[in-house]
Amino acid sequence: MSAPVAAQPFGDRLAEATARRGTPLVLGLDPDPARLWPGTEPVGAVPGATPGEHAAAAVQEHCRRVITATAEHCVAVKLQLACFERLGPPGWETLHRVAALARANGLLVIADGKRGDIDVTAAAYAASLFDGHDTPWGHAPGLGADAITVNPYMGSDAIAPFLEGARRAGGGIFVLVRTSNPGAADFEEQQLATGEPLWRRVASHVAGLDDGKGALADAGAVCGATAPERLADLRAAMPRAPFLLPGVGAQGGTVEALSAAFEPGLGAGLVTVSRALVRAHEQSGGTPEAAAAAAADELRRACLQVAG
Amino acid sequence: MSAPVAAQPFGDRLAEATARRGTPLVLGLDPDPARLWPGTEPVGAVPGATPGEHAAAAVQEHCRRVITATAEHCVAVKLQLACFERLGPPGWETLHRVAALARANGLLVIADGKRGDIDVTAAAYAASLFDGHDTPWGHAPGLGADAITVNPYMGSDAIAPFLEGARRAGGGIFVLVRTSNPGAADFEEQQLATGEPLWRRVASHVAGLDDGKGALADAGAVCGATAPERLADLRAAMPRAPFLLPGVGAQGGTVEALSAAFEPGLGAGLVTVSRALVRAHEQSGGTPEAAAAAAADELRRACLQVAG
């Protein structure tokens, strides 16, 4: 794992990028081969390619189209690893190419794999998603992500190796704290003997990871965008943490509910949208490109207004 | 996702395989390219191959040697996905080949990825690890795992789609309940307002997933093998769940502490060992093959004695 020389802290990079691009919008890419944009061809797939290779090539072209159409309104892409992994080894190749495409469009790359493990296993995941792994045969490059999502269930030693890997690469982590799905009530919302819900204990842990460097912390949180009052609690518990905010649009959240997220700055409220952009043409008509760009522009403006 | 016709329930397959092979031992494969068995060559790597391709070919040959040496004493392999993913796309290829090798040696395949996500994303992970995904260009095969590990933090809707995918393929899941790492104290052990620790709430949920079919449940649990009294509690909470038991050997657990795990049958106590087999020659001398086989045989016998 070759350490970049004095990587700029993620919190600075994130704050700078959101300010420069004037947007906290994150393009969520979770491509389904059966629902790609109309007219998408599996570019580069050769005759005799396997179904996985064909599908991966088509997914890559779809992602290229979506990124090209919406990049100017976004600060990052969030790559849903599962959607690439299900295509097998060719999907993994495509994942790397889409990350490169996003970078070439000036976007940060958030790898959404929700990994959680300890010790050398966690370090292996971090190597895979950030800066790669030094083998006896040379360096195997990683995905080059700027940030990743992490599952906290196993505890502090299932978070620390990811943050260590992130810092080495000038990257960050987003720990699942209070997610937007109904099942969050089952464990995340469980009231502890101390009176607080479990998610608040996790939030305190995340806040404690902040080393005070950078304009924002490099240990962030995934927080569902579906309940404004809870978001204020989350912000109080993690004053400098960037929030990754899924749930706007398809899951019923609105940008107006997010003001607490933006308190430390525009980069602290990363509004993640997928279907609301990628399927905008199904509502509004027009080309997928134009509909996605218009939806992204509208959401970006709404964010800027709420962020003030 | 092509459903196999009337797949036999995982609990039956597991009970049958452990009885037939006379062992509940699981070979953990978490290969580090810098610590492969002496004399391992990257078989099949061609001149000009990338470092990742070289390392993946060497890892594959190492895993082949370990599987060949120990298979007769084991019922399954547990593949640590992170260790393959860190080699990039070639590592993903190797993962598929090692799973096929394990199957050819009569072993069940447990994919240890500790995935946790909801809805279509969880379904995509399940497709990736079990039976693959139907694309408009044909079927992209999955890893063909018999079981996978799952992280429960996000709640019931982050577990159900994995179990659904598993059942479609006659497979099972192992939900992280009470792990063997020190950080388990941070959240898993948190006392709830009801007086029980969080892990017990998760255990109750896992027990509730049992549909009563098969000799054992197909919803199992990952339980650290490091505290016998807790294991009795875990067994009481999940009477028919197969336990995946890491922590014997390197992490200080002993087989003698595991008797509660075996109460529902030999297949309910899957003792997972990695370093204790793969690095046995560093302690005992001899060839890695002979040392691993001897260590596996000894552990297998110890398990049978405790299982009674």
Side-chain angles (χ1 to χ4, degrees):
Chain A
M1 287 161 270
S2 49
V5 181
Q8 197 188 0
F10 178 69
D12 282 340
R13 296 174 57 221
L14 179 60
E16 203 174 277
T18 42
R20 178 167 34 85
R21 299 178 71 87
T23 172
L25 211 59
V26 174
L27 167 64
L29 287 171
D30 43 11
D32 177 349
R35 294 197 66 170
L36 304 179
W37 274 0
T40 299
E41 296 294 328
V43 175
V46 294
T50 65
E53 287 165 348
H54 261 110
V59 159
Q60 186 175 317
E61 174 61 7
H62 166 86
C63 291
R64 188 196 62 74
R65 290 176 68 188
V66 180
I67 290 171
T68 307
T70 60
E72 68 173 305
H73 306 291
C74 299
V75 68
V77 290
K78 180 174 83 65
L79 304 174
Q80 188 57 270
L81 301 195
C83 296
F84 297 88
E85 290 179 23
R86 71 173 150 192
L87 302 177
W92 208 248
E93 292 274 9
T94 285
L95 175 71
H96 279 245
R97 293 204 186 107
V98 171
L101 263 169
R103 272 192 294 276
N105 279 269
L107 299 169
L108 298 174
V109 173
I110 302 171
D112 188 7
K114 301 184 177 64
R115 302 301 198 243
D117 215 311
I118 57 163
D119 201 27
V120 292
T121 307
Y125 278 128
S128 164
L129 297 175
F130 288 117
D131 55 350
H133 183 64
D134 283 336
T135 82
W137 295 271
H139 184 74
L143 185 62
D146 296 288
I148 64 174
T149 54
V150 171
N151 187 309
Y153 183 72
M154 294 177 75
S156 52
D157 50 7
I159 300 172
F162 288 101
L163 185 56
E164 219 168 274
R167 283 181 176 161
R168 205 174 46 233
I173 63 172
F174 292 94
V175 178
L176 301 181
V177 175
R178 209 301 185 178
T179 54
S180 56
N181 56 310
D186 297 322
F187 308 125
E188 297 175 19
E189 281 286 353
Q190 279 298 315
Q191 202 193 346
L192 302 182
T194 54
E196 64 187 347
L198 175 64
W199 65 255
R200 195 188 301 267
R201 178 62 59 98
V202 178
S204 302
H205 183 77
V206 171
L209 297 172
D210 184 2
D211 60 8
K213 293 180 188 164
L216 296 164
D218 52 10
V222 178
C223 302
T226 44
E229 64 296 344
R230 198 188 309 111
L231 209 58
D233 285 354
L234 285 156
R235 178 50 76 210
M238 299 174 284
R240 281 172 30 92
F243 287 178
L244 191 61
L245 301 157
V248 167
Q251 288 182 57
T254 65
V255 171
E256 289 64 36
L258 303 179
S259 62
F262 295 114
E263 277 164 22
L266 190 62
L270 297 174
V271 176
T272 303
V273 278
S274 174
R275 276 168 281 182
L277 304 190
V278 176
R279 300 193 187 159
H281 61 287
E282 296 174 8
Q283 305 293 323
S284 66
T287 68
E289 277 85 350
D297 189 31
E298 192 183 330
L299 271 165
R300 179 181 70 82
R301 287 170 197 277
C303 289
L304 291 178
Q305 194 152 17
V306 173
Chain B
M1 288 162 268
S2 51
V5 180
Q8 197 188 2
F10 178 68
D12 281 340
R13 296 175 58 218
L14 179 60
E16 203 175 275
T18 43
R20 178 166 35 85
R21 299 179 70 87
T23 172
L25 211 61
V26 175
L27 166 64
L29 287 172
D30 43 9
D32 176 349
R35 294 198 67 172
L36 304 180
W37 274 1
T40 300
E41 296 294 328
V43 175
V46 294
T50 65
E53 286 164 348
H54 261 110
V59 159
Q60 187 175 316
E61 174 60 7
H62 166 86
C63 290
R64 188 196 63 74
R65 291 177 66 189
V66 181
I67 290 171
T68 307
T70 60
E72 66 173 306
H73 306 293
C74 299
V75 68
V77 290
K78 181 174 83 65
L79 304 174
Q80 188 57 270
L81 301 194
C83 295
F84 297 87
E85 290 179 22
R86 71 173 150 192
L87 302 177
W92 207 249
E93 292 272 10
T94 285
L95 174 70
H96 279 243
R97 291 203 188 109
V98 171
L101 262 169
R103 269 192 295 275
N105 278 270
L107 299 169
L108 298 174
V109 173
I110 302 170
D112 188 7
K114 299 184 177 65
R115 303 300 199 241
D117 215 311
I118 57 163
D119 202 25
V120 292
T121 307
Y125 277 129
S128 164
L129 297 175
F130 289 117
D131 54 350
H133 183 63
D134 283 335
T135 81
W137 295 270
H139 185 73
L143 185 61
D146 298 287
I148 63 173
T149 55
V150 170
N151 187 310
Y153 183 72
M154 294 176 77
S156 52
D157 51 7
I159 299 173
F162 288 101
L163 185 56
E164 221 168 273
R167 284 182 176 161
R168 206 174 45 232
I173 63 171
F174 291 94
V175 178
L176 301 180
V177 175
R178 207 309 184 170
T179 55
S180 57
N181 56 309
D186 296 323
F187 309 125
E188 297 175 19
E189 280 287 352
Q190 280 297 316
Q191 203 193 346
L192 303 181
T194 55
E196 64 187 348
L198 174 64
W199 65 255
R200 196 188 301 267
R201 178 62 59 101
V202 178
S204 302
H205 182 77
V206 171
L209 297 172
D210 184 2
D211 60 7
K213 293 182 189 163
L216 296 165
D218 53 9
V222 178
C223 302
T226 45
E229 63 297 345
R230 198 188 310 111
L231 209 57
D233 285 354
L234 286 156
R235 177 51 74 209
M238 297 173 284
R240 281 171 31 92
F243 287 179
L244 191 62
L245 300 156
V248 167
Q251 287 181 58
T254 65
V255 171
E256 288 63 38
L258 303 179
S259 62
F262 295 114
E263 277 164 21
L266 190 62
L270 297 174
V271 177
T272 303
V273 278
S274 173
R275 275 168 282 182
L277 303 190
V278 177
R279 299 192 187 160
H281 62 287
E282 295 175 8
Q283 305 293 322
S284 66
T287 67
E289 276 86 350
D297 189 31
E298 192 182 332
L299 273 164
R300 179 181 69 83
R301 287 171 196 274
C303 288
L304 291 179
Q305 194 151 19
V306 171

